[in-house]
């Protein structure tokens, strides 16, 4: 049974995403000949689905953790600052931390987390991201492994959301408010 959803334009279909994720798995295996020395850290919520898929292509038994990073945009006291929570028990001293991201946009999240893990004693921090939007970069961050470079689209699905919606979509689509409003008949899912 196919899922009922607004007809958003598909940017990257599921087969393309799964093929690229497998390719990234192979790239990581060749870049880190002893993957058991890696500490894999998934940046939630957005990276959860990509990370789960990526792990299927790496040896079983790797150490995987989750860390939450949230940005506060304009209009808040901490504009532009990325707050980190969770990940307290991660023992990264002298090890290589592999940050797993769904998308790198301004680069602030990666910049903040790289500093966080280097400050905690990691020997090295590397990044694997499914998507990168170079045109939006504000901080010049190194991205060791990436899946797709995309233009400045608002993308959702495969873990990415708009206000908590559509993370479950199996592919990556372009979010369009008008398409969504028409699909829901102008009545978005307003709580009763
Ligand atoms: C998104 C995405 C990245 C971050 C990238 O997370 O998952 O973590 O933004 O943006 P940046 O390069 O500008 O820092 P978001 O804050 O939407 O939280 P979420 O992952 O919980 O959806």
């Amino acid at each position: 049974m196919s899922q009922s959803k607004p007809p958003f334009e598909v940017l990257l279909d599921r087969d393309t995403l799964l093929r690229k994720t497998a390719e990234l798995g192979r790239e990581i295996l060749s870049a880190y000949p002893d993957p058991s020395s890696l500490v894999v850290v998934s940046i939630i919520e957005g990276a959860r689905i990509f990370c789960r898929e990526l792990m299927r292509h790496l040896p079983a038994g790797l150490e995987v953790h989750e860390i939450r990073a949230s940005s506060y945009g304009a209009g808040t006291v901490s504009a532009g600052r990325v707050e980190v929570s969770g990940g307290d028990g991660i023992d990264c001293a002298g090890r290589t931390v592999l940050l797993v991201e769904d998308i790198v946009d301004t680069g602030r999240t990666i910049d903040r987390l790289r500093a966080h893990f280097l400050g905690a004693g990691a020997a090295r921090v590397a990044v694997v991201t499914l998507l990168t939007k170079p045109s939006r970069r504000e901080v010049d961050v190194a991205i060791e492994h990436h899946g797709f470079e995309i233009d400045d689209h608002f993308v959702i699905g495969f873990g990415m959301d708009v206000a908590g919606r559509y993370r479950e979509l199996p592919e990556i689509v372009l979010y369009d408010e008008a398409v969504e409003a028409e699909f829901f008949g102008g009545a978005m899912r307003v709580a009763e």
Side-chain angles (χ1 to χ4, degrees):
M1 193 178 76
S2 77
Q3 190 181 30
S4 164
K5 57 183 183 248
F8 297 124
E9 186 182 330
V10 176
L11 181 67
L12 296 161
D13 65 31
R14 186 158 184 84
D15 282 353
T16 304
L17 292 171
L18 297 186
R19 265 201 313 274
K20 182 60 82 174
T21 306
E23 203 180 290
L24 285 169
R26 289 192 292 274
E27 190 175 310
I28 288 165
L29 278 176
S30 71
Y32 312 97
D34 176 16
S36 65
S37 66
L38 292 174
V39 182
V40 179
V41 179
S42 170
I43 305 171
I44 59 172
E45 294 286 327
R48 209 173 240 154
I49 291 177
F50 170 53
C51 188
R52 192 185 309 142
E53 187 56 37
L54 182 67
M55 294 313 294
R56 296 182 52 241
H57 301 284
L58 297 179
L62 295 193
E63 203 176 312
V64 186
H65 300 271
E66 291 186 336
I67 198 161
R68 186 178 299 277
S70 15
S71 319
Y72 296 85
T76 70
V77 178
S78 52
R81 184 169 160 71
V82 178
E83 300 292 342
V84 176
S85 61
D88 298 333
I90 303 176
D91 176 13
C92 63
R95 304 172 73 187
T96 296
V97 171
L98 181 66
L99 293 175
V100 182
E101 214 8 328
D102 49 321
I103 185 164
V104 178
D105 193 340
T106 65
R108 289 185 193 285
T109 300
I110 289 303
D111 192 50
R112 175 80 174 82
L113 287 176
R114 198 187 294 272
H116 172 89
F117 284 106
L118 290 175
R124 185 183 170 205
V125 177
V127 176
V128 54
T129 186
L130 181 60
L131 306 181
T132 177
K133 272 189 198 175
S135 64
R136 291 262 306 165
R137 210 69 96 239
E138 291 176 14
V139 182
D140 186 21
V141 285
I143 305 293
E144 286 75 4
H145 314 280
H146 74 269
F148 303 96
E149 270 192 23
I150 63 166
D151 292 334
D152 188 14
H153 301 298
F154 189 158
V155 289
I156 52 171
F158 207 67
M160 289 173 284
D161 72 312
V162 51
R165 306 196 299 276
Y166 303 114
R167 289 194 198 275
E168 75 285 4
L169 293 184
E171 66 274 289
I172 291 179
V173 302
L174 306 183
Y175 178 65
D176 184 325
E177 209 174 340
V179 169
E180 182 183 48
E182 186 174 349
F183 182 79
F184 288 109
M188 272 303 299
R189 306 160 184 180
V190 178
E192 292 176 14

